[in-house]
Amino acid sequence: MFLLPAMLMAQGKLSIVDFQYVESDQTANTYGTEQFDQNGRRCALLRISTTEKGFTFEGGSLGITKVDDNHPAEVWVYVPAGLRRITIHHPQLGNMYNYEFPINVEPGRTYIMQLVTGKVQTVVEEDAGGQFLIMHVQPANAMVYIDNTMREVKTDGTMTLMLPYGSHTYRVEAASHISESGIVEIGQSKVTKNVALKSAKATLTITCPMADAQIYVNEELKGSGRCSLTLDAGMYVVEARKAGHRASRQSVELAQQERKNISLAAPVPMYGTLNVSSSPVEAEVWLDGKKLGATPDIFRNILAGSHELELRKQGCKPAKRAVTIAEAKVESVEITLEKGFGGNAEVITVNGVSFRMIPVRGGTFTMGCTGEQGGDCWD
């Protein structure tokens, strides 16, 4: 069985059974035992008969001048003359409010005041032998160990456990966080402890002078030109990539909570050559929507990678091809154009009827001229 310290219990109430002036008692009027109020007048003395200690007194607006409880079975209370009422307090025995004196209180006189109280008893209560520990942890999914035993944590990050009195160890752990451990003391009152783990993640800021270069970290796209990332401690491969360019890369190792800035070099362009010929000749060469020239021709400094090639010639159908340019290589393409409406044909609608028309420069069209009469295609 565990026992709590003694607890005081009160029985009964405070009451005054006698109050009288004692003419033969000159204590309030004798040098060494007399007291004076704030106005310099000699105080009256109330000799209160009681075997209990711990009383406090109130005298209203006039106040109490002095309380002296260093007397066997008495408490001496010095009050200003003219005081009409007194209030008595005791933490276990209770209160007596505004007791009105039956006679006038005169300066330099001593009065006997018989106080009747209940008894203060000592009660010993049974004790549970321990107290509750309440922990609030962040993050809420952290693991909590008390005395090296893992304890259940609720989804809101709260753990409640009753522990025996004394010292106990605790440890709080969570992935990607710095663990915290220590000692908690369990006493008569419950203990509440808040533990917020600090993140162990590192911060990595990556920049590249080529604003449209794509930033990859361990093969994962993270942004373009510049990005700031929160990462676990470890080693990473960082790259700046752009189509038709040779990627720039470097490795970086991060420690817990480290902040690091790195700058990647701009990706280097990779060029190849495109050799284009056609039948008929002098077809316009367009690459990715940009006109390069006319066939036949060799076009250098073409970015490596996949491109869309288109040939256009008046009187012929446009021809499109997908071409792949390799670094420092020549890609040769030969295309035969089919006769028909060319890429410069326009659609004109008259009264709801649409016509496909080819614009012809003045002086360049001869009625009846066909491919069989010496022309490759219609001019």
Side-chain angles (χ1 to χ4, degrees):
M1 176 184 294
F2 296 91
L3 301 179
L4 283 173
M7 180 178 68
L8 297 179
M9 300 290 292
Q11 294 182 342
K13 297 182 179 179
L14 299 178
S15 62
I16 304 296
V17 297
D18 188 28
F19 187 93
Q20 59 179 300
Y21 164 54
V22 183
E23 185 175 359
S24 62
D25 191 333
Q26 296 298 311
T27 305
N29 200 29
T30 302
Y31 177 78
T33 56
E34 62 184 354
Q35 294 290 330
F36 295 88
D37 64 17
Q38 60 183 359
N39 296 317
R41 297 180 65 193
R42 187 175 280 108
C43 291
L45 170 60
L46 308 180
R47 295 180 62 170
I48 302 175
S49 299
T50 179
T51 58
E52 301 293 343
K53 301 293 185 181
F55 292 97
T56 57
F57 304 88
E58 294 179 8
S61 60
L62 294 180
I64 302 295
T65 302
K66 182 180 179 181
V67 175
D68 182 0
D69 60 359
N70 294 315
H71 302 278
E74 282 189 345
V75 178
W76 290 9
V77 180
Y78 291 89
V79 299
L83 186 71
R84 301 295 303 276
R85 298 176 182 85
I86 192 169
T87 294
I88 306 173
H89 299 284
H90 193 278
Q92 282 82 40
L93 298 172
N95 306 301
M96 172 177 284
Y97 294 99
N98 294 320
Y99 170 74
E100 188 169 351
F101 302 127
I103 58 177
N104 292 333
V105 174
E106 302 293 339
R109 292 186 174 184
T110 302
Y111 300 84
I112 296 297
M113 185 172 174
Q114 186 68 41
L115 177 65
V116 176
T117 69
K119 295 295 183 181
V120 177
Q121 297 179 341
T122 300
V123 177
V124 179
E125 287 190 344
E126 186 176 350
D127 188 282
Q131 188 52 269
F132 282 100
L133 168 64
I134 301 172
M135 295 188 72
H136 301 286
V137 298
Q138 293 179 356
N141 63 350
M143 295 180 293
V144 176
Y145 296 83
I146 304 296
D147 296 330
N148 293 321
T149 300
M150 188 168 68
R151 307 294 180 171
E152 180 182 1
V153 179
K154 296 181 180 179
T155 55
D156 64 353
T158 301
M159 184 224 68
T160 302
L161 183 66
M162 187 172 181
L163 294 170
Y165 296 135
S167 300
H168 299 270
T169 62
Y170 72 89
R171 187 172 77 256
V172 183
E173 300 176 349
S176 302
H177 289 75
I178 303 296
S179 300
E180 181 178 321
S181 61
I183 295 176
V184 61
E185 296 291 339
I186 300 297
Q188 293 289 332
S189 301
K190 68 180 179 182
V191 177
T192 300
K193 187 168 187 63
N194 299 318
V195 177
L197 298 183
K198 295 180 179 179
S199 174
K201 289 184 177 291
T203 301
L204 177 63
T205 300
I206 307 164
T207 56
C208 179
M210 185 178 289
D212 58 349
Q214 295 180 316
I215 305 298
Y216 283 78
V217 177
N218 285 1
E219 300 295 329
E220 291 186 11
L221 178 61
K222 298 297 184 180
S224 297
R226 184 184 187 280
C227 62
S228 186
L229 308 170
T230 301
L231 302 168
D232 289 326
M235 182 169 285
Y236 297 87
V237 175
V238 183
E239 297 177 274
R241 302 178 185 177
K242 185 177 180 179
H245 292 67
R246 185 177 295 106
S248 64
R249 64 173 57 86
Q250 70 180 81
S251 62
V252 58
E253 187 169 3
L254 301 174
Q256 287 185 344
Q257 297 183 310
E258 183 178 10
R259 293 180 175 272
K260 184 170 287 188
N261 299 314
I262 64 171
S263 179
L264 289 172
V268 178
M270 298 184 296
Y271 296 111
T273 300
L274 179 61
N275 182 359
V276 185
S277 59
S278 69
S279 177
V281 297
E282 296 185 345
E284 295 178 351
V285 178
W286 293 74
L287 191 68
D288 299 329
K290 180 180 179 181
K291 185 176 179 180
L292 298 183
T295 61
D297 206 345
I298 298 173
F299 304 98
R300 296 177 174 81
N301 295 327
I302 306 297
L303 278 177
S306 298
H307 300 272
E308 182 182 73
L309 173 66
E310 182 179 5
L311 298 187
R312 303 176 187 174
K313 185 171 177 65
Q314 224 172 37
C316 298
K317 295 179 181 180
K320 293 183 179 181
R321 297 286 188 278
V323 295
T324 300
I325 304 299
E327 184 181 18
K329 302 292 183 182
V330 178
E331 178 71 12
S332 297
V333 179
E334 186 174 353
I335 299 176
T336 299
L337 299 174
E338 297 181 14
K339 295 178 181 179
F341 291 108
N344 293 329
E346 297 180 4
V347 177
I348 299 175
T349 302
V350 180
N351 295 328
V353 180
S354 297
F355 302 89
R356 190 175 180 86
M357 309 294 289
I358 298 176
V360 179
R361 298 189 302 275
T364 63
F365 177 73
T366 303
M367 186 68 177
C369 175
T370 67
E372 288 80 5
Q373 293 173 318
D376 292 322
C377 295
W378 291 308
D379 293 324

